[in-house]
Amino acid sequence: MCRMILAHGRFDAAAVLEAARAMSCGETACHDGPIREHPNGWGCLWLENGNIRTLHGTGTFADALPGIDVDAIRTRFLAVHVRHATLSKNQGLEFSHPLWRTSGATQWYMMHNGFLPTLYAQLGLTESRFDSAEYLEYLVDQATPADFTRDYLLNKMAQIAPGGSAGNAIFVTRNKAWAWQWHPADTPYPAYFTMHLCQQNGSTFIASEQIPTLGEASSWRRMRNHELHEISFGE
């Protein structure tokens, strides 16, 4: 279970990183979930001169943040992921998001919040090793960015056997990003697994929690379940 945030347009990178730290420490938690702290790894992704840059780390984001050269992150798109490992065995740098995978001519990156323990069967596997990596493979293999629509995602999610908590995700390519809000009707903590969107003053923020330092409460809204928000970097 994790917390995520993306920013697009005009924003202060330091403020977004601080927002991720606050979420990772439970300072902005206002939901129905039992998890407040997310200490099991972190990752950042941003766009720099048309190229995707990433940072990954283990441990807490609060410990890592002072060592990040925030001034060097000059971008109109930034995403941050902080992690609480659902399974204790899945800890370490290889499990830190964003995950990435090449499909055809496209390099895909993904940050995921939720747990999809039955998805492995769709890949013909006998058991799951890491559900988030399997989720990325399941959605992007044999797909192009043009295929990545709400109908496509709904159809793929409908084929997954029951048993998961959420498939909230941020997907990124060199030209576009998508924020995908999805949890099953019987998810145990719907508020915890609902992302929030804020658009104001030339900026867009999508986060696992409302961040008061980035926008007043009236400027945030809960994303609708099964909502897909698309961002084009060419505009």
Side-chain angles (χ1 to χ4, degrees):
M1 312 302 181
C2 310
R3 304 281 82 182
M4 308 184 295
I5 183 170
L6 72 75
H8 179 240
R10 296 195 300 269
F11 60 87
D12 179 2
V16 175
L17 294 171
E18 170 59 21
R21 184 210 60 78
M23 284 195 292
S24 74
C25 296
E27 295 173 8
T28 55
C30 185
H31 53 67
D32 53 1
I35 296 170
R36 294 292 191 272
E37 298 184 358
H38 301 74
N40 304 130
W42 57 273
C44 305
L45 178 154
W46 67 96
L47 202 65
E48 182 179 297
N49 298 322
N51 296 309
I52 293 174
R53 306 296 187 196
T54 62
L55 285 174
H56 295 77
T58 58
T60 70
F61 190 56
D63 289 340
L65 184 53
I68 296 176
D69 185 359
V70 177
D71 292 336
I73 302 178
R74 300 181 181 277
T75 182
R76 287 179 55 82
F77 181 84
L78 171 64
V80 189
H81 183 276
V82 293
R83 189 164 180 264
H84 182 288
T86 305
L87 303 177
S88 59
K89 69 180 181 68
N90 289 350
Q91 296 188 49
L93 198 60
E94 66 178 303
F95 299 103
S96 296
H97 301 215
L99 308 176
W100 62 88
R101 187 174 184 86
T102 300
S103 176
T106 304
Q107 182 87 353
W108 293 86
Y109 296 81
M110 183 194 74
M111 297 176 173
H112 172 216
N113 171 32
F115 186 44
L116 298 171
T118 67
L119 187 148
Y120 72 91
Q122 293 295 323
L123 301 176
L125 303 174
T126 57
E127 63 180 5
S128 174
R129 178 178 178 272
F130 182 29
D131 67 296
S132 293
E134 292 149 9
Y135 187 31
L136 176 59
E137 179 180 351
Y138 175 63
L139 290 182
V140 308
D141 274 18
Q142 311 303 317
T144 70
D147 297 321
F148 230 64
T149 64
R150 181 174 180 271
D151 287 345
Y152 168 80
L153 292 171
L154 284 173
N155 179 62
K156 296 290 280 188
M157 302 310 288
Q159 299 175 52
I160 302 173
S165 61
N168 293 345
I170 297 168
F171 299 92
V172 185
T173 68
R174 286 186 61 183
N175 299 310
K176 286 187 177 182
W178 299 259
W180 171 230
Q181 167 62 51
W182 185 91
H183 64 66
D186 62 352
T187 193
Y189 306 111
Y192 179 81
F193 290 116
T194 295
M195 296 191 291
H196 302 258
L197 184 148
C198 172
Q199 291 180 303
Q200 60 177 11
N201 303 322
S203 62
T204 296
F205 301 107
I206 297 177
S208 297
E209 299 169 7
Q210 292 187 14
I211 310 296
T213 56
L214 298 179
E216 296 181 357
S218 60
S219 65
W220 290 89
R221 70 167 177 85
R222 292 166 61 95
M223 290 185 69
R224 299 178 298 277
N225 200 23
H226 307 165
E227 178 177 350
L228 180 68
H229 186 90
E230 181 176 312
I231 294 171
S232 174
F233 299 144
E235 297 178 356

